[in-house]
């Protein structure tokens, strides 16, 4: 048996409309989903309420970003309190598109992590190296530094899932090999063991993201330290069901 509950997040990004997301929701609601897998769909903020109202309760919902305070004069932002008010229990933070398209710093991501956890919102915290960093042999330094900023802002790890998403694998069709994913996940767990605690290292789910598909998910899911996935493109398709069921 696996020690940690398998966790599969879908990241819809800025895709879909009520019609197409409604169809996807119907597919998920009527699918046979592995009981031992926790499933969360990351909806665009304007559809969070729609997703939560229509998805079956066995499927969680996540926001894709939020701000670091509960309310105020921050035009265009949403707060953890608002996300919770829509019945949504998770947020994705630090996604590479937030870091690299919108220029979010490690510091801001850390502040968001702290405030979300204080607000009792679960956090899917994303980290990952760029291609040039991998090629320069600095993958470990990059992901450890990103993880440290997150860890410095976490008191209770029970609400945190760590998502390792190599930037070069996101949306490129170039998935990390099972061995590449396992190598980084194992090192991240070792970092948690050395810098946080054995209990946290043993219990925190470390999920992989970057071009996960129905075709490659089973081999990735069989790796000892891969505890699930964060899925972009394939989470908008019926094959997301096969990815959820990768370990069944
Ligand atoms: P992808 O995206 O599955 O389309 O590569 C993953 C992600 O960005 O979370």
């Amino acid at each position: 048996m696996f020690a940690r509950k398998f966790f599969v997040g879908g990241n819809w990004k800025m895709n879909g409309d009520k019609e197409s997301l409604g169809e996807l929701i119907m597919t998920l609601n009527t699918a046979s989903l592995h009981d031992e897998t926790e499933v969360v769909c990351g909806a665009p903020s304007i559809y969070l309420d729609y997703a939560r109202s229509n998805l079956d309760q066995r499927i969680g919902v996540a926001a894709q970003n939020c701000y670091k305070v509960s309310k105020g004069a921050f035009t265009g932002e949403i707060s953890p309190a608002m996300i919770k008010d829509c019945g949504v229990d998770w947020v994705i933070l630090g996604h590479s598109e937030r870091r690299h398209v919108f220029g979010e710093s490690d510091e801001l991501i850390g502040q968001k992590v702290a405030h979300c956890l204080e607000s009792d919102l679960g956090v899917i915290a994303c980290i990952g190296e760029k291609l040039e960093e991998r090629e320069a042999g600095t993958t470990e330094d990059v992901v450890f530094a990103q993880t440290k900023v997150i860890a410095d802002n976490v008191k209770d790890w029970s609400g945190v899932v760590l998502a390792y998403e190599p930037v070069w694998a996101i949306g490129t069709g170039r998935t990390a090999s099972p061995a590449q994913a396992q190598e980084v996940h194992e090192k991240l767990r070792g970092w948690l063991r050395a810098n946080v605690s054995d209990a946290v290292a043993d219990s925190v789910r470390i999920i992989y993201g970057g071009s996960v598909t129905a075709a490659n998910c089973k081999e990735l899911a069989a790796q000892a330290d891969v505890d699930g996935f964060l899925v972009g493109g394939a989470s908008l398709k019926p094959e997301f069901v096969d990815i959820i069921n990768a370990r069944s």
Side-chain angles (χ1 to χ4, degrees):
M1 281 312 293
F2 295 99
R4 295 168 292 271
K5 187 167 189 172
F6 204 64
F7 185 104
V8 178
N11 179 4
W12 296 345
K13 309 193 180 185
M14 197 178 72
N15 291 300
D17 52 24
K18 282 191 187 173
E19 190 182 345
S20 63
L21 296 177
E23 278 169 28
L24 178 64
I25 287 169
M26 278 301 277
T27 302
L28 294 173
N29 285 351
T30 53
S32 157
L33 305 179
H34 195 326
D35 292 342
E36 295 303 311
T37 298
E38 187 168 357
V39 184
V40 171
C41 292
S45 52
I46 197 161
Y47 295 135
L48 282 172
D49 207 9
Y50 177 76
R52 184 57 289 163
S53 304
N54 288 285
L55 272 168
D56 191 282
Q57 283 301 327
R58 70 197 164 134
I59 300 169
V61 177
Q64 298 173 9
N65 183 33
C66 69
Y67 199 49
K68 61 177 180 178
V69 294
S70 61
K71 62 178 179 159
F74 301 103
T75 303
E77 295 293 313
I78 60 170
S79 73
M82 293 168 178
I83 295 168
K84 296 276 299 182
D85 193 37
C86 291
V88 170
D89 293 325
W90 290 92
V91 64
I92 300 168
L93 291 177
H95 188 276
S96 86
E97 287 142 24
R98 298 303 320 170
R99 291 176 186 270
H100 304 304
V101 180
F102 298 99
E104 290 194 12
S105 65
D106 270 331
E107 188 193 7
L108 176 61
I109 293 161
Q111 290 166 341
K112 290 182 178 193
V113 167
H115 180 65
C116 287
L117 294 173
E118 277 159 21
S119 310
D120 203 24
L121 187 62
V123 171
I124 301 166
C126 305
I127 56 170
E129 82 288 1
K130 295 187 205 164
L131 183 60
E132 58 266 32
E133 293 165 335
R134 173 161 286 261
E135 286 173 345
T138 59
T139 297
E140 204 175 296
D141 301 338
V142 171
V143 298
F144 285 178
Q146 291 170 336
T147 303
K148 181 177 186 321
V149 179
I150 291 162
D152 287 345
N153 286 284
V154 177
K155 292 195 189 94
D156 176 1
W157 284 84
S158 64
V160 181
V161 169
L162 200 57
Y164 169 59
E165 299 202 294
V167 179
W168 47 271
I170 295 177
T172 58
R174 188 177 163 193
T175 322
S177 68
Q180 282 175 320
Q182 169 58 25
E183 184 188 12
V184 178
H185 285 227
E186 192 178 346
K187 284 181 177 161
L188 287 168
R189 207 175 298 289
W191 188 94
L192 292 172
R193 199 171 299 288
N195 294 282
V196 186
S197 70
D198 281 335
V200 166
D202 289 337
S203 62
V204 166
R205 272 88 56 92
I206 306 177
I207 64 176
Y208 167 79
S211 298
V212 175
T213 64
N216 59 34
C217 65
K218 277 193 184 292
E219 221 190 322
L220 285 160
Q223 305 304 308
D225 290 292
V226 174
D227 305 315
F229 303 116
L230 187 56
V231 185
S235 74
L236 291 159
K237 302 179 192 160
E239 75 178 281
F240 188 51
V241 172
D242 300 317
I243 300 173
I244 293 168
N245 293 336
R247 267 197 185 162
S248 53

